[in-house]
């Protein structure tokens, strides 16, 4: 790779890449993010490569390996461009046929996506309901880019926004654009990004300023940041370079959690390529602007996503938050002014510059732009969805998510991870924006969205999050450390049927004190799961306390497993029981010995006849 | 000089003064457990919370770490502050009932019961010893380890530290281990160390000179078992 010395060099390279590109050559796109690889995308890639070699199709059919496209439920999937044919859940044998089909220009009807509502097959990816109802500004780039090839990024318009900023030569242009776009931090708190950068640009400190990309994504069930980095690392780098130009920052840090090995690998490759091309480092593209980015790996603490703890972690100290003020923008890494933004915020910056702030601001109601959510839990289509700000929860769950799994009724959705709250189904017409979510006791958070149906016990949910938080609280503040432990203790008692009437008041009182007095964001939002479930699902708590009954059949101490008359005596459950608690002869109704039963649920998940009841 | 109001009293303090220092200087008492004049503020015990700001935007912050700001309105004993302090003390009593300092603080705040499951921990992780060792003794022999419920204080890998000079500074500043009350151990239920404080367990005739702030009385509970 030859180093680009001037802006004109870059434009020549970009023109050359565009000229060489032939959009009519069919391309097999295989998403191979962490989720894709886990479901077998690597094997598909191997088969596809082998078939392409064997049939001597290298010049006629291209293969592109990309990051996650978002529809994780249907992975491993294959997309064939330029037609946009979408094949879900592809097996190795199917892959061979797909390669054959692509070479002949055919569409394999029987492998296409089957719409469960209409029973019809859908060919084009963009016609699949899951994709059709989204607005995929950030995620759609994942389809077009091979994350380990910088030329691939440049030919799809990458780094052009950076060049535009460099040519413009006016740092205030960047800040004005970002401010006009109305972009707000995608990490959760929703602080206007433009204002944050303006504060940083105003800081006068001769020794340098820092920009940080916060990729320490730790919410259970949330993985948008991982997918964005894995699929489009150059987008983050470009965003940071633009940000540095606008704010006068000299050093950048990407703080990635070490549990994301693929994201780290792609980032290292991307950083190296950007360096080699002269897009990063000293005198970028021959201008007098220098900016460098280094990678710091998180050591596995959830609290390090909090900005002051993150700064300490980057400095090599223990990840503990500290009091703000002074804010990081005044005193950050090594005492120098620092602005910290989330991965998704950075990914939005090149989009804003490329399309213009006015265009960007047209998207969304109340807040601008799009937001990626990771839709998981008891829902048909799990995956990453990108929607304009201000759409209703119902639209995401019913239209994009495809509604509940089987016949269970959806009860609530949990947004914002452990710091967020549960929103009951009756409020699903709520638009998703920062203010509305805060008003109902939840938060936007980084974008986790866990769907719960009637088989989910809300006490158990609150207990799960409190268990997570009592382990992940840094332990500095007494109230956060002990408060989360005590809340867990009370919830545990309630779930075991040992709850007392006074417990709920005590829980509430304690939760409000923790919210009030903790130092950092983690502690201040830690009681949200408890408070929101108490607010909307109090009767479930009372059912546990007064009647010692778990309506959802989840809390082990409060349920018993029974075999009803539907039992055909197939002995599947007898064999599956690890405690040998089920007895019965073949073709006769079996019985569970409740003394031995540990309520593991193995029998229930295997029974084909719905014969195992939980009451 | 920075002008601010503390409990409606207009005061001015030098720049860099914390709210705790300012409040104490002007005679408003604020209880603390993890603060010591000679050590850097840490903000761990949260007892020193004060309310700042107006009405809807009012929030609680730890006064030991919050710098005085121009025009700030501080309330050191609003009902929100006192309520929070009481809950923190209740939690402290539930975890670390033997510390005389904690008992006295709880008594002074009128706490008569604690509603959580009783624990007997020795350390409240206030971090005074860690800062004493680092900042005053220049040793850095002990530090924090782990996080959340596994957080503890000790030497690295629990090996006897080579830099520790056995100066005892850590024990000197500890609010939890000095003046240990032993009444929670049934065999020496009455030490008499707290006789000067109120209120005593009047209804328990057998322990008439014992001072216990909790209902049910921890000592009596142990006897029952």
């Amino acid at each position: 790779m030859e180093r680009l010395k001037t802006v004109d060099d870059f434009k020549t390279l970009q023109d050359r890449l565009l000229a060489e590109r032939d959009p009519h050559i069919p391309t097999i796109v295989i998403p191979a993010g962490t989720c894709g690889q886990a479901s077998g995308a690597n094997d598909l890639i191997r088969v596809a490569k082998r078939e392409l070699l064997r049939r001597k199709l290298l010049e006629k059919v291209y293969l592109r390996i990309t990051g996650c496209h978002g529809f994780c439920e249907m992975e491993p999937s294959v997309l064939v461009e330029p037609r946009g044919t979408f094949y879900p859940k592809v097996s190795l044998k199917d892959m061979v046929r797909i390669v054959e089909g692509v070479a002949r220009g055919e569409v394999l009807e029987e492998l296409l996506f089957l719409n469960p509502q209409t029973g019809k097959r859908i060919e084009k990816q963009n016609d699949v309901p899951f994709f059709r109802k989204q607005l995929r500004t950030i995620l759609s780039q994942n389809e077009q880019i091979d994350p380990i090839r910088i030329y691939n990024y440049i030919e799809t318009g990458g780094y052009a926004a950076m060049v535009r900023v460099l040519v413009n030569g006016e740092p205030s242009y960047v800040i004005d654009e970002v401010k006009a776009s109305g972009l707000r931090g995608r990490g959760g708190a929703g602080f206007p990004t433009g204002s944050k950068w303006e504060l940083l640009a105003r800081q006068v400190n001769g020794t340098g300023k820092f920009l940080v990309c916060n990729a320490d994504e730790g919410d259970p069930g949330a993985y948008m940041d991982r997918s964005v980095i894995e699929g489009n690392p150059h987008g983050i780098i470009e965003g940071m370079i633009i940000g540095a130009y606008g704010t006068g920052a000299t050093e950048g840090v990407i703080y990635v959690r070490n549990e994301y090995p693929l994201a780290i690998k792609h980032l290292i490759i991307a950083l190296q390529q950007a360096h080699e091309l002269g897009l990063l480092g000293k005198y970028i593209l021959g201008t007098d602007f220098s900016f460098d980015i280094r990678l710091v790996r998180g050591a596995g603490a959830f609290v390090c996503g909090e900005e002051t703890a993150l700064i300490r972690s980057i400095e090599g100290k223990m990840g503990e938050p500290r009091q703000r003020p002074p804010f990081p923008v005044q005193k950050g890494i090594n005492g120098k002014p620092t602005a910290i933004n989330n991965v998704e915020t950075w990914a939005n910056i090149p989009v804003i510059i490329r399309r213009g702030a006015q265009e960007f601001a047209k998207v969304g109601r109340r807040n601008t732009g799009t937001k990626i959510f990771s839709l998981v839990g008891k829902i048909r289509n799990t995956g990453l969805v990108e929607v304009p700000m201000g759409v209703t929860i119902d639209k995401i769950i019913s239209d994009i998510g495809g509604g509940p799994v089987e016949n269970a009724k959806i009860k609530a959705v949990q947004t914002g991870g452990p710091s967020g709250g549960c929103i009951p189904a009756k409020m699903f017409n709520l638009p998703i924006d920062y203010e509305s979510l805060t008003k109902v006791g939840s938060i936007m958070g980084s974008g986790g969205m866990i769907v719960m149906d009637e088989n989910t016990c809300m006490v158990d949910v609150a207990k799960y999050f409190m268990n997570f938080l009592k382990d992940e609280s840094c332990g500095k503040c007494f109230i956060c450390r002990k408060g989360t432990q005590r809340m867990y203790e009370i919830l545990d008692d309630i779930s075991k049927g040992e709850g007392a009437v006074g417990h709920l008041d005590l829980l509430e009182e304690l939760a409000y004190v923790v919210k009030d007095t903790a130092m950092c964001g983690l502690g201040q939002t830690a009681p949200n799961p408890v408070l929101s479930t108490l607010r909307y699902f109090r009767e479930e708590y009372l059912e546990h306390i007064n009647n010692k009954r778990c309506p959802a059949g989840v809390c082990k101490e409060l349920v018993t497993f029974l075999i009803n008359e539907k039992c055909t005596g197939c002995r599947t459950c007898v064999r599956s029981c690890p405690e040998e608690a089920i007895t019965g002869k073949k073709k006769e109704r079996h019985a569970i010995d409740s003394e031995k039963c540990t309520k593991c649920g193995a029998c229930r998940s295997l029974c084909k006849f719905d014969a195992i009841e939980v009451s | 000089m920075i002008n601010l109001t503390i409990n409606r009293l207009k005061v001015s303090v030098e720049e860099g003064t914390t709210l705790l220092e300012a409040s104490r200087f002007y005679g408003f008492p604020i209880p603390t457990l993890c603060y010591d004049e000679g050590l850097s503020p840490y903000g761990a015990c949260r007892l020193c919370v004060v309310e700042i700001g107006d009405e809807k935007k009012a929030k609680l912050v730890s006064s030991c770490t919050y710098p005085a700001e121009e025009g700030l309105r501080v309330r050191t004993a609003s009902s929100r502050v006192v309520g929070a302090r009481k809950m923190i003390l209740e939690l402290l009593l539930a975890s670390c009932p033997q510390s005389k300092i904690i008992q006295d603080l709880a008594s002074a705040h009128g706490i008569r019961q604690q509603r959580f499951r009783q624990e007997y921990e020795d350390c409240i992780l206030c971090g005074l010893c860690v800062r004493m060792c680092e900042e005053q003794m220049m040793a850095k022999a002990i530090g924090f380890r782990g996080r959340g419920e596994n957080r503890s204080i000790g030497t690295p890998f629990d090996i006897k530290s080579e830099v520790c000079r056995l100066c005892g500074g850590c024990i000197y500043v500890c609010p939890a281990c000095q003046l240990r009350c032993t009444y929670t151990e049934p065999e020496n239920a009455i030490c008499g160390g707290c006789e000067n404080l109120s209120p005593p367990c009047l209804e328990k005739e057998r322990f008439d000179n014992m001072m216990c702030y909790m209902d049910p009385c921890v000592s009596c509970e142990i006897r029952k078992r």
Side-chain angles (χ1 to χ4, degrees):
Chain A
M1 237 178 273
E2 203 176 325
R3 199 181 157 86
L4 305 173
K5 293 194 186 70
T6 62
V7 171
D8 290 330
D9 278 0
F10 176 83
K11 287 187 172 153
T12 325
L13 173 75
Q14 199 184 19
D15 291 341
R16 201 190 79 214
L17 290 173
L18 278 174
E20 282 172 7
R21 189 181 198 191
D22 184 355
H24 303 296
I25 294 184
T27 309
I28 299 173
V29 185
I30 304 180
T34 301
C35 42
Q37 292 191 1
S39 47
N42 277 341
D43 292 330
L44 287 193
I45 295 167
R46 250 193 301 281
V47 172
K49 278 182 179 169
R50 192 187 66 204
E51 289 303 309
L52 289 176
L53 276 173
R54 206 160 62 91
R55 292 163 206 268
K56 303 200 172 58
L57 289 170
L58 287 181
E59 298 298 312
K60 290 178 196 133
V61 177
Y62 289 163
L63 178 68
R64 184 160 73 234
I65 293 136
T66 67
C68 176
H69 296 185
F71 205 175
C72 304
E73 181 75 29
M74 290 299 158
E75 276 179 342
S77 61
V78 169
L79 174 70
V80 181
E81 282 183 349
R83 278 184 70 99
T85 316
F86 175 68
Y87 296 108
K89 292 195 174 170
V90 179
S91 72
L92 295 184
K93 277 180 191 153
D94 295 342
M95 191 68 230
V96 180
R97 292 179 55 208
I98 289 172
V99 174
E100 275 176 7
V102 173
R104 274 192 250 121
E106 286 168 9
V107 175
L108 302 168
E109 189 71 25
E110 65 278 16
L111 296 182
L112 292 176
F113 179 79
L114 183 70
N115 189 347
Q117 265 105 37
T118 58
K120 284 186 184 147
R121 303 241 172 222
I122 299 173
E123 184 203 338
K124 302 264 164 74
Q125 166 161 312
N126 291 340
D127 294 337
V128 174
F130 178 80
F131 288 105
R132 197 180 64 215
K133 301 204 171 146
Q134 297 185 43
L135 182 70
R136 300 166 78 238
T137 317
I138 310 286
L139 281 177
S140 65
Q141 296 179 40
N142 276 13
E143 288 166 26
Q144 295 157 15
I145 297 161
D146 187 337
I148 59 168
R149 291 174 215 279
I150 190 167
Y151 285 161
N152 216 233
Y153 181 62
I154 292 173
E155 72 183 31
T156 54
Y159 287 111
M162 180 198 85
V163 168
R164 183 187 291 180
V165 167
L166 287 180
V167 170
N168 184 289
E170 201 59 58
S172 62
Y173 163 71
V174 174
I175 292 179
D176 290 343
E177 281 293 286
V178 176
K179 273 181 90 174
S181 75
L183 177 70
R184 291 174 64 175
R186 296 291 192 250
F191 192 83
T193 309
S195 308
K196 193 189 267 184
W197 288 10
E198 199 172 27
L199 287 174
L200 183 71
R202 274 200 214 135
Q203 297 290 323
V204 193
N205 186 331
T207 53
K209 302 174 193 172
F210 278 94
L211 283 184
V212 178
C213 169
N214 181 355
D216 191 57
E217 179 185 48
D219 292 358
Y223 56 101
M224 346 9 98
D225 293 354
R226 190 195 73 203
S227 290
V228 171
I229 294 184
E230 279 173 5
N232 188 8
H234 286 291
I236 314 289
I237 296 171
E238 188 182 359
M240 287 183 81
I241 299 173
I242 293 169
Y245 196 79
T247 57
T250 47
E251 264 182 87
V253 176
I254 303 179
Y255 188 90
V256 199
R257 64 190 300 215
N258 205 26
E259 289 88 341
Y260 286 174
L262 192 69
I264 290 173
K265 183 178 145 194
H266 286 180
L267 266 177
I268 290 174
I269 295 172
L271 285 173
Q272 197 188 344
Q273 288 174 341
H275 262 286
E276 282 174 17
L277 265 188
L279 299 171
L280 205 57
K282 283 230 157 94
Y283 308 116
I284 293 172
L285 291 182
T287 59
D288 54 1
F289 166 60
S290 304
F291 180 67
D292 210 345
I293 299 177
R294 75 190 153 100
L295 198 74
V296 175
R297 293 180 211 194
F302 177 68
V303 72
C304 286
E306 200 279 339
E307 56 179 12
T308 53
L310 184 136
I311 287 170
R312 281 178 63 94
S313 178
I314 291 174
E315 287 169 348
K317 295 175 191 153
M318 194 168 186
E320 264 173 14
R322 63 157 173 78
Q323 175 82 48
R324 294 178 302 181
F327 287 93
V329 121
Q330 300 156 327
K331 264 187 175 178
I333 301 171
N334 300 328
K336 296 174 190 174
T338 305
I340 300 168
N341 288 109
N342 175 262
V343 172
E344 219 186 307
T345 316
W346 288 119
N348 270 303
I349 301 297
V351 177
I352 291 172
I353 302 289
R354 222 178 289 163
R355 296 191 177 174
Q358 307 309 333
E359 248 344 92
F360 184 88
K362 277 182 195 160
V363 177
R365 275 218 324 262
R366 289 195 213 183
N367 304 147
T368 59
T370 58
K371 174 86 191 85
I372 307 177
F373 291 97
S374 72
L375 191 60
V376 295
K378 308 275 183 72
I379 186 129
R380 199 186 297 263
N381 301 332
T382 58
L384 294 178
V385 300
E386 187 176 351
V387 287
M389 286 280 188
V391 301
T392 57
I393 299 177
D394 189 54
K395 189 174 174 197
I396 295 186
I397 290 182
S398 321
D399 294 0
I400 300 171
V405 188
E406 289 166 8
N407 297 323
K409 237 177 105 190
I410 290 180
K411 181 158 78 178
V413 60
Q414 211 274 354
T415 67
S419 312
C422 296
I423 300 168
K426 62 173 190 278
M427 297 172 85
F428 276 4
N429 55 4
L430 188 84
I432 301 182
D433 56 64
Y434 294 98
E435 286 77 22
S436 303
L437 286 176
T438 313
K439 212 184 279 171
V440 298
S442 185
I443 58 164
M444 174 80 77
S446 54
M449 207 173 248
I450 304 172
V451 183
M452 299 157 188
D453 64 15
E454 53 199 4
N455 295 321
T456 318
C457 168
M458 298 318 273
V459 179
D460 190 63
V461 168
K463 185 177 137 183
Y464 167 81
F465 281 115
M466 215 35 76
N467 187 27
F468 178 83
L469 286 163
K470 84 173 166 50
D471 287 338
E472 290 301 335
S473 155
C474 77
K476 178 177 176 175
C477 291
F478 173 79
I479 189 73
C480 175
R481 184 182 71 243
K482 269 292 160 201
T484 49
Q485 277 177 47
R486 294 302 189 174
M487 280 192 274
Y488 173 78
E489 194 179 281
I490 295 172
L491 289 168
D492 193 44
D493 280 354
I494 294 176
S495 77
K496 283 180 178 155
E498 291 162 11
V501 185
H503 269 159
L504 290 189
D505 294 335
L506 178 62
L507 195 61
E508 219 161 8
E509 193 185 331
L510 175 61
Y512 279 116
V513 171
V514 175
K515 204 178 172 72
D516 251 3
T517 55
M519 180 185 280
C520 77
L522 188 146
Q524 285 162 4
T525 54
N528 279 354
V530 170
L531 286 174
S532 69
T533 48
L534 266 178
R535 183 165 159 189
Y536 299 117
F537 299 97
R538 204 181 188 93
E539 70 282 7
E540 262 189 56
Y541 279 87
L542 290 172
E543 190 72 19
H544 280 76
I545 294 172
N546 295 335
N547 302 338
K548 314 283 174 217
R549 209 177 74 82
C550 175
V554 174
C555 297
K556 278 186 186 177
E557 273 78 6
L558 300 182
V559 297
T560 40
F561 279 63
L562 289 172
I563 296 182
N564 64 18
E565 68 290 339
K566 287 182 192 162
C567 179
T568 58
C570 70
R571 288 185 64 83
T572 310
C573 55
V574 178
R575 284 190 294 271
S576 76
C577 183
E579 299 296 321
E580 298 182 349
I582 306 178
T583 48
K585 287 178 185 152
K586 215 171 182 179
K587 293 190 177 167
E588 277 175 32
R589 184 169 157 186
H590 301 334
I592 300 179
D593 182 351
S594 54
E595 296 274 299
K596 283 185 188 168
C597 176
T598 57
K599 295 151 192 173
C600 67
C603 47
R604 196 182 178 204
S605 61
L606 284 172
C607 182
K608 288 175 194 148
F609 310 100
D610 251 355
I612 291 162
E613 265 179 29
V614 179
S615 63
Chain B
M1 297 295 269
I2 289 173
N3 300 303
L4 68 157
T5 56
I6 303 176
N7 298 344
R8 294 202 180 165
L9 179 72
K10 284 184 183 155
V11 300
S12 53
V13 292
E14 272 177 40
E15 200 174 334
T17 315
T18 64
L19 294 184
L20 179 71
E21 287 162 347
S23 305
R24 284 190 171 170
F25 181 80
Y26 284 101
F28 297 110
I30 294 177
T32 56
L33 274 175
C34 73
Y35 176 79
D36 193 293
E37 274 181 16
L39 303 172
S40 61
Y42 190 55
C45 72
R46 313 311 290 174
L47 269 180
C48 69
V49 284
V50 293
E51 193 175 359
I52 60 165
D54 295 313
E55 276 144 44
K56 276 188 181 168
K57 283 194 166 176
K59 58 176 182 176
L60 299 188
V61 295
S62 53
S63 59
C64 66
T65 54
Y66 204 91
E69 288 171 353
E70 188 64 40
L72 199 68
R73 284 144 95 118
V74 183
R75 290 174 293 282
T76 64
S78 65
S79 59
R80 193 170 165 193
V81 169
V82 173
R85 255 178 221 156
K86 280 186 159 183
M87 177 54 85
I88 296 169
L89 281 167
E90 201 178 324
L91 283 168
L92 279 164
L93 270 184
S95 300
C96 205
Q98 292 166 293
S99 160
K100 182 68 168 55
I101 290 182
I102 291 172
Q103 286 181 6
D104 288 359
L105 270 173
S107 169
H109 282 80
I111 289 163
R112 298 289 177 268
Q113 57 162 344
Q114 73 84 6
R115 292 164 286 177
F116 302 98
R117 202 167 289 160
Q118 190 65 52
E119 290 174 349
Y120 299 96
E121 286 177 3
D122 294 331
C123 179
I124 57 166
L125 299 170
C126 66
L128 273 175
C129 53
V130 175
R131 281 172 284 151
M132 184 73 171
C133 191
E134 179 180 343
E135 293 168 16
Q136 292 294 335
M137 299 305 161
M138 311 295 167
K140 283 194 188 179
I142 50 174
F144 285 108
R145 308 168 301 187
R147 64 168 179 268
E149 57 178 351
N150 297 320
R151 189 173 165 101
S152 64
I153 291 174
T155 57
F157 308 108
D158 276 328
I159 299 167
K160 190 179 174 298
S161 172
E162 286 175 9
V163 288
C164 173
R165 301 190 294 272
L166 303 175
C167 69
C170 44
I171 302 169
Y172 173 75
V173 292
C174 181
C177 53
Q178 51 177 308
L179 286 177
R180 259 190 119 60
C181 173
T182 53
Y183 70 73
T184 51
E185 289 152 27
E187 55 273 18
N188 37 17
I190 302 163
C191 74
C194 44
E195 265 182 279
N196 53 340
L197 273 163
S198 61
C201 273
L202 291 175
E203 65 271 31
K204 303 282 189 309
E205 280 151 25
R206 281 170 57 214
F207 307 115
D208 54 351
N209 63 342
M210 198 189 68
M211 317 289 168
C212 176
Y213 318 108
M214 280 171 278
D215 178 32
C217 170
V218 178
S219 177
C220 311
E221 287 295 300
I222 289 175
R223 291 251 154 160
K224 261 190 240 161
R225 269 185 233 155

